[in-house]
Amino acid sequence: MRGFAFGPARMKLAVLAGATLLTAVAARAEVEEDEATWRRWVRLSTEANVYSAYIWRGQILVDTPCWQPAQNIFLNLGEDAAYGAIKGRLWGNFTMFRTQAPHHFGGMSIVDETISYVKSFDNGLDLETGFILYQFPTRRDETIRDTEEFLAGARWRNPWITPRFYVWWDFAESGHNGTDQLYFDFDFTHDFKLLENLTIRPGFGFGIGNDTYMASYSRDVVRSTAFNNFHGDIVADYRVCDHFSVGCSLSYYFNLSRHVRDSPYLVSGDFDSGILRGGIHLKVDW
């Protein structure tokens, strides 16, 4: 039987293959190191959400399916956001399968641009404060075309129940909107980790609008501070990999105040007994 001769030619080939492999491994390690360094300073996430209705602060604006894409960018202040981060968010709502929906911009009814400062602490406290610009690109009449709000909020992550509180202040008079409109939102959730990558999150919450806010959005029918937007939710989130997750949700919305339910605040349809809304969610973290 003839033996295997490891001659000079094969020696060169083996050395070349080994050098190529080492170079590839080193290059990959350098790329991963650069990516890890980049992620310490910048974070990106893209969202695609489809809902069976468009509900905003208890107002049933559209009772047919819509999709709501969003893009987030976080610029860390200090390595790994040691001093917090500047957050930019672009969000929009597109109405689907509705003949009276806007025919411009693919059915877009609203686009929000948010710039805020966010900070997370080791004790589980998350803070956010900033500004939102709401724009309504399809409106052609003399009603409100855009408005601005100041926002501030806090969340406390803990092993029991996670409370979240936000307040929005519409400080600019625009269209039918008066000044000094305040809206408060309270939410409570808890995460149950059923599998390594599967989380179930039940929760509930409610909102409160001050007298100026309620008068503006109920066409002067409700002129006092009122409870609205009670909702119960259950969300399932499955992380497919480090950068991609899918989920679904089911929520029940009900306005606590009979006075609010009898006013034009609900906008779309007759939902005296509330409305059930489903959702499908996709998220990519870059």
Side-chain angles (χ1 to χ4, degrees):
M1 181 180 293
R2 193 175 172 185
F4 178 79
F6 199 77
R10 286 179 175 160
M11 175 69 77
K12 291 178 181 180
L13 184 61
V15 171
L16 180 60
T20 303
L21 180 60
L22 290 176
T23 301
V25 171
R28 177 59 183 170
E30 185 176 353
V31 169
E32 291 180 349
E33 183 179 355
D34 290 343
E35 182 179 352
T37 301
W38 177 78
R39 290 183 181 279
R40 292 192 184 103
W41 295 95
V42 179
R43 289 175 290 145
L44 297 170
S45 67
T46 303
E47 303 171 20
N49 303 296
V50 177
Y51 293 103
S52 59
Y54 174 25
I55 303 174
W56 184 73
R57 298 179 184 173
Q59 288 186 285
I60 304 170
L61 298 178
V62 176
D63 59 358
T64 57
C66 59
W67 73 284
Q68 299 176 354
Q71 179 64 52
N72 305 289
I73 180 171
F74 297 85
L75 303 177
N76 294 342
L77 303 177
E79 193 170 352
D80 293 325
Y83 305 102
I86 301 299
K87 174 185 175 182
R89 177 175 172 85
L90 181 65
W91 174 94
N93 179 80
F94 294 80
T95 305
M96 304 161 58
F97 315 124
R98 186 181 170 97
T99 56
Q100 62 265 42
H103 296 287
H104 304 283
F105 306 103
M108 176 188 287
S109 59
I110 184 175
V111 59
D112 299 354
E113 296 116 27
T114 304
I115 183 74
S116 61
Y117 170 78
V118 294
K119 171 64 175 172
S120 295
F121 296 89
D122 293 337
N123 62 0
L125 181 64
D126 299 329
L127 300 178
E128 181 178 12
T129 183
F131 293 91
I132 307 178
L133 172 63
Y134 301 89
Q135 294 180 303
F136 310 95
T138 59
R139 292 192 177 179
R140 296 286 183 258
D141 53 21
E142 306 233 345
T143 61
I144 181 174
R145 296 291 299 276
D146 59 68
T147 189
E148 306 87 27
E149 287 182 340
F150 168 80
L151 69 92
R155 180 181 67 162
W156 179 42
R157 293 169 283 108
N158 61 80
W160 308 286
I161 187 169
T162 298
R164 174 184 175 272
F165 165 73
Y166 266 74
V167 59
W168 291 268
W169 171 37
D170 193 331
F171 54 85
E173 186 172 357
S174 178
H176 67 78
N177 279 13
T179 57
D180 294 329
Q181 296 181 63
L182 293 171
Y183 189 85
F184 305 88
D185 187 73
F186 302 84
D187 292 287
F188 305 88
T189 60
H190 181 75
D191 287 359
F192 293 93
K193 203 170 185 64
L194 299 188
L195 300 172
E196 182 179 357
N197 295 333
L198 176 62
T199 301
I200 303 296
R201 183 180 306 109
F204 69 94
F206 60 90
I208 301 174
N210 74 341
D211 53 352
T212 309
Y213 180 92
M214 294 307 302
S216 293
Y217 286 95
S218 69
R219 302 177 189 173
D220 284 326
V221 174
V222 181
R223 299 187 179 184
S224 60
T225 299
F227 281 90
N228 60 47
N229 191 27
F230 172 82
H231 55 92
D233 317 278
I234 184 164
V235 179
D237 182 76
Y238 183 77
R239 181 158 289 277
V240 179
C241 60
D242 290 341
H243 304 296
F244 179 63
S245 62
V246 297
C248 59
S249 63
L250 189 64
S251 303
Y252 172 72
Y253 289 84
F254 179 73
N255 274 283
L256 298 175
S257 169
R258 162 64 66 178
H259 195 27
V260 173
R261 295 200 304 273
D262 291 340
S263 77
Y265 188 80
L266 290 183
V267 181
S268 180
D270 181 12
F271 294 96
D272 190 64
S273 58
I275 184 173
L276 196 63
R277 184 185 76 168
I280 299 173
H281 317 286
L282 305 175
K283 184 178 180 182
V284 179
D285 296 311
W286 303 96

